[in-house]
């Protein structure tokens, strides 16, 4: 067989290999995207969508995709330069997907396995019957003195972060005191209108109001996680409670949400 024909055949074979590698590299981002869409539109539950599809299989597949993208680039530089663009695209897509997943994983692993914060655990703010009705079907219950389960595997579908093991069996009140010290009551009785305005300024939809309580919820635009908020108003102080409806650990989201609400309320307290 002439050398030219042999070279053409080898080039065609290499092109086919590159195309297959490109398709394999995109499996990871596709799995992650499917998990994100499924969670955002309520098609998948938290365990399957986040813990299994995104944080476990999606993470492994995107890391493998990055490696395949790098191989495509190397092949392009050595043998088939026309594949360079495909390699760069593969590395960019898989790399961005891997970074996003890794950020989610680290945020979850570096925070305790809790999904709520209260400024008063001796007498935590309670939700109205109407709000409890809105929470019907939520995985996370509203409890007066919640604890982290001893058996984390019963509530976690994917791998359990190693740092969570030290929190097993502990009261959420103790964990909040250690990891969210900024969750402190506003030392003033605020008017319900002020509370409602503060909540709305933080993007929270207010759904209930009384002289002693204002409550609402907020849903993340991506992944669709819902957090319920109640602000209790009493003489001399105003307390806040935030609880996410799904997931054992929220990556510190409830603490950040409560802190932002407290800061917004504090602006009214000094006005």
């Amino acid at each position: 067989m002439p050398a030219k024909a042999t070279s053409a055949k080898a080039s065609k074979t290499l092109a086919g290999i590159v195309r297959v590698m490109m398709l394999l590299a995109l499996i990871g981002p596709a799995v992650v995207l499917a998990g994100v869409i499924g969670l955002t539109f309520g098609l998948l539950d938290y365990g399957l969508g986040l813990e299994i599809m995104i944080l476990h299989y999606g993470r492994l597949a995107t890391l493998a995709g990055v490696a395949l993208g790098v191989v495509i680039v190397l092949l392009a530089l050595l043998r088939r330069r026309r594949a360079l663009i495909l390699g760069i695209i593969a590395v960019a897509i898989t790399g961005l997907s891997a970074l996003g997943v890794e950020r989610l994983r680290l945020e979850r692993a570096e925070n305790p396995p809790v999904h709520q914060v209260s400024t008063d655990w001796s007498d935590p703010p309670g939700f109205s019957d109407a709000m409890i009705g809105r929470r019907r079907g939520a995985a996370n219950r509203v409890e007066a003195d919640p604890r982290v389960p001893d058996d984390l595997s019963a509530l976690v579908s994917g791998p359990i972060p190693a740092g969570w093991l030290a929190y097993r069996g502990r009261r959420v009140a103790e964990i909040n005191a250690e990891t969210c010290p900024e969750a402190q009551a506003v030392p003033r009785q605020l008017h319900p209108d002020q509370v409602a305005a503060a909540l709305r300024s933080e993007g929270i939809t207010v759904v209930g109001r009384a002289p002693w309580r204002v409550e609402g919820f907020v849903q993340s635009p991506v992944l669709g996680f819902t957090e319920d908020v109640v602000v209790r108003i009493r003489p001399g102080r105003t307390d806040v409670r935030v609880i996410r409806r799904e997931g054992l650990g929220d990556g510190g989201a409830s603490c950040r949400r409560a802190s932002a609400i407290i800061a917004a309320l504090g602006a009214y307290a000094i006005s």
Side-chain angles (χ1 to χ4, degrees):
M1 183 180 293
K4 188 175 182 179
T6 302
S7 177
K9 184 178 180 180
S11 180
K12 186 176 181 180
T13 301
L14 183 59
I17 293 174
V18 167
R19 284 194 292 269
V20 171
M21 292 175 66
M22 181 69 176
L23 291 174
L24 291 174
L26 294 179
I27 289 176
V31 171
V32 172
L33 181 60
V36 169
I37 292 174
L39 286 168
T40 301
F41 293 98
L43 304 175
L44 299 172
D45 63 28
Y46 182 92
L48 177 59
L50 182 70
E51 296 176 341
I52 295 179
M53 289 184 67
I54 296 178
L55 294 180
H56 186 49
Y57 291 113
R59 175 173 176 264
L60 295 176
T62 52
L63 292 176
V66 172
L68 284 172
V70 171
V71 171
I72 293 173
V73 170
L74 292 176
L75 286 174
L77 294 174
L78 295 174
R79 297 290 301 274
R80 186 176 175 81
R81 295 188 180 277
R82 282 181 295 179
L84 183 59
I85 295 177
L86 287 179
I88 292 174
I89 292 173
V91 171
I93 294 175
T94 57
L96 289 173
S97 299
L99 285 174
V101 172
E102 194 64 13
R103 179 183 175 185
L104 269 177
R105 187 190 70 83
L106 289 176
E107 192 174 70
R108 188 165 174 263
E110 292 173 354
N111 284 279
V114 298
H115 47 262
Q116 60 183 310
V117 168
S118 174
T119 58
D120 183 5
W121 280 115
S122 63
D123 181 17
F127 291 97
S128 66
D129 291 340
M131 195 64 178
I132 293 297
R134 283 178 172 271
R135 289 181 49 82
R136 186 175 293 112
N140 297 328
R141 296 178 299 173
V142 178
E143 300 174 298
D145 187 19
R147 291 177 177 268
V148 175
D150 289 312
D151 183 12
L152 297 178
S153 62
L155 297 175
V156 179
S157 300
I160 298 172
W164 285 12
L165 301 179
Y167 293 102
R168 289 178 297 181
R170 293 189 59 190
R171 297 175 63 231
V172 171
E174 298 172 355
I175 298 172
N176 275 179
E178 294 173 5
T179 61
C180 193
E182 58 270 35
Q184 300 292 327
V186 177
R188 179 177 169 182
Q189 179 179 352
L190 298 177
H191 191 276
D193 289 344
Q194 294 176 311
V195 174
L199 292 182
R200 291 193 183 100
S201 72
E202 293 302 317
I204 297 166
T205 301
V206 175
V207 295
R209 186 189 311 191
W212 61 90
R213 177 176 58 209
V214 179
E215 52 194 1
F217 72 93
V218 61
Q219 187 174 44
S220 59
V222 180
L223 300 180
F225 298 146
T226 301
E227 294 167 1
D228 294 312
V229 177
V230 57
V231 179
R232 183 180 63 199
I233 305 166
R234 286 179 174 175
R237 65 182 287 157
T238 301
D239 285 289
V240 176
R241 185 176 188 178
V242 178
I243 177 170
R244 180 176 280 189
R245 295 185 187 182
E246 57 281 302
L248 178 59
D250 64 8
S254 56
C255 178
R256 292 189 294 272
R257 182 77 61 191
S259 300
I261 292 170
I262 292 166
L265 293 172
Y268 285 96
I270 62 176
S271 61

